[in-house]
Amino acid sequence: MTARLADIAAQAGVSEATVSRVLNGKPGVAAGTRQSVLAALDVLGYERPVRLRRRSEGLIGLITPELENPIFPALAQVVGQALTRQGYTPVLATQTPGGSTEDELTEMLVDRGVAGIIFVSGLHADTSADMHRYEQLRAQGVPFVLVDGFSPKVQAPSVSPDDRAAMRLAVTHLVSLGHTRIGLALGPKRFVPVQRKIEGFVRTMRDQLGLSPDAVETELVQHSLYTLEGGQAAASTLLDRGCTAVACASDMMALGAIRAARQRGLEVPDDVSVVGFDDSPLIAFTDPPLTTVRKPVPAMGQAAVRTLLEEIGGTPAPPGEFVFMPELVVRGSTASGPRRP
């Protein structure tokens, strides 16, 4: 027990006596200090005493389209931590190909009496989907928030990155390096974030290089899947069209673009520059470290939780979109225009 107290005290940065007071439920410990001790227990893998276990305020569902792209686990981590701090229990529900659909997961969560649901990159982002399902959910009295894909047809708060600004940052960076033949690799056109990225890309290519919007969208925009293989396929087409730089709609697609360049014997960034989007965990350690546009995941996740809890508490935000500004992170996958044509 003494060794355990010493470990916890060291981890929390407090005295063993303070740890003992917290574990025994004694008064006289500041709330922040108490939280540090509980966090140290969790980090070190010790089980909390029964008296210190938090009584849940209720379940909150988080529905994501997948977990293979590391940006979704990163967002789930932010949302889960924010909910736990407020006393709620997060329930992560993930769609899988051939498995549960968003509607089925929603029904399952509602059946379990969730206090609210956060939808991430769901059907609300698909302009071809029927949005009536969300009105049915609202009619059932279940508060919800949409993340990454605003639809004016859904009466709910929405949290998004500024996708148009993201492409402006990427293209401006590549043009400053001397690239004039820049391609865009991204997912299917029916999705709202894709449409916004195209708008930002086309507008910036016109403003920076004087290119016709029709020519840009016809020759320099390539749709594929939001996967490494999708990025590889899209980038391969763009390289065939003479692009010396490729901006991608996700870091996974950017890794595929790097693979496409290398399969042709091209070096990144000496021959081809590549920019990703997301700044997923560990992406700074790829070869080369990826230049990317950082999606403001912590701010977006916390805003989604705060907005949902306000609605649960009876003070809902008006339906509309909260837009968060991304940030360019320059690393090793971009450089001056190629040394050889």
Side-chain angles (χ1 to χ4, degrees):
M1 177 59 75
T2 302
R4 184 183 301 178
L5 285 176
D7 290 343
I8 298 168
Q11 177 69 29
V14 300
S15 69
E16 291 181 37
T18 298
V19 173
S20 179
R21 294 184 72 84
V22 172
L23 297 182
N24 289 297
K26 298 291 180 63
V29 180
T33 302
R34 181 179 181 278
Q35 192 59 42
S36 296
V37 172
L38 295 179
L41 279 173
D42 298 339
V43 168
L44 295 173
Y46 290 125
E47 189 174 356
R48 292 188 185 187
V50 174
R51 72 172 71 86
L52 297 180
R53 294 177 191 169
R54 188 195 301 262
R55 182 179 295 276
S56 176
E57 297 287 342
L59 305 177
I60 300 287
L62 175 65
I63 300 181
T64 65
E66 54 154 314
L67 291 178
E68 289 185 1
N69 185 333
I71 201 63
F72 292 121
L75 181 61
Q77 179 89 348
V78 171
V79 169
Q81 288 177 341
L83 287 171
T84 301
R85 281 196 296 269
Q86 298 299 320
Y88 287 86
T89 301
V91 179
L92 178 61
T94 305
Q95 301 172 62
T96 53
S100 298
T101 65
E102 179 181 309
D103 289 338
E104 290 168 342
L105 293 173
T106 301
E107 184 179 354
M108 177 271 292
L109 291 169
V110 172
D111 287 346
R112 282 159 177 74
V114 292
I117 300 176
I118 297 174
F119 293 93
V120 180
S121 299
L123 290 168
H124 61 273
D126 187 341
T127 57
S128 68
D130 181 5
M131 298 300 159
H132 184 61
R133 54 177 44 88
Y134 296 108
E135 295 314 308
Q136 291 177 324
L137 182 61
R138 181 166 296 286
Q140 292 175 280
V142 180
F144 61 92
V145 172
L146 310 177
V147 176
D148 221 353
F150 172 71
S151 172
K153 299 176 183 177
V154 182
Q155 294 298 300
S158 186
V159 176
S160 307
D162 191 331
D163 290 295
R164 299 180 183 92
M167 291 300 100
R168 184 170 66 247
L169 290 170
V171 172
T172 300
H173 170 62
L174 292 168
V175 170
S176 74
L177 293 172
H179 294 277
T180 56
R181 189 74 175 169
I182 302 167
L184 174 62
L186 72 182
K189 191 172 182 178
R190 67 181 189 273
F191 294 111
V192 172
V194 170
Q195 295 173 4
R196 289 178 168 183
K197 284 184 173 72
I198 292 173
E199 289 173 14
F201 180 78
V202 169
R203 186 178 304 153
T204 310
M205 292 288 281
R206 181 199 63 197
D207 294 345
Q208 299 263 346
L209 298 172
L211 298 179
S212 137
D214 288 342
V216 170
E217 193 159 351
T218 301
E219 300 174 22
L220 301 177
V221 174
Q222 187 64 32
H223 297 278
S224 188
L225 298 176
Y226 272 115
T227 61
L228 190 148
E229 292 78 12
Q232 181 178 349
S236 184
T237 299
L238 292 169
L239 292 173
D240 285 343
R241 294 175 183 168
C243 292
T244 63
V246 180
C248 300
S250 77
D251 291 338
M252 296 294 284
M253 294 190 81
L255 296 181
I258 292 173
R259 179 193 282 180
R262 286 176 173 165
Q263 284 186 337
R264 294 163 178 256
L266 301 174
E267 293 292 328
V268 176
D270 292 342
D271 302 310
V272 178
S273 287
V274 176
V275 179
F277 176 78
D278 282 335
D279 198 27
S280 312
L282 302 181
I283 212 68
F285 306 103
T286 57
D287 179 25
L290 187 66
T291 294
T292 189
V293 179
R294 177 178 292 155
K295 192 174 187 175
V297 166
M300 288 174 58
Q302 290 160 12
V305 169
R306 185 168 58 250
T307 304
L308 182 63
L309 296 188
E310 286 174 355
E311 187 155 351
I312 292 171
T315 56
E321 187 176 23
F322 300 94
V323 180
F324 291 80
M325 187 67 185
E327 173 189 0
L328 179 70
V329 182
V330 179
R331 298 193 181 104
S333 65
T334 51
S336 299
R339 291 186 296 237
R340 62 175 186 270

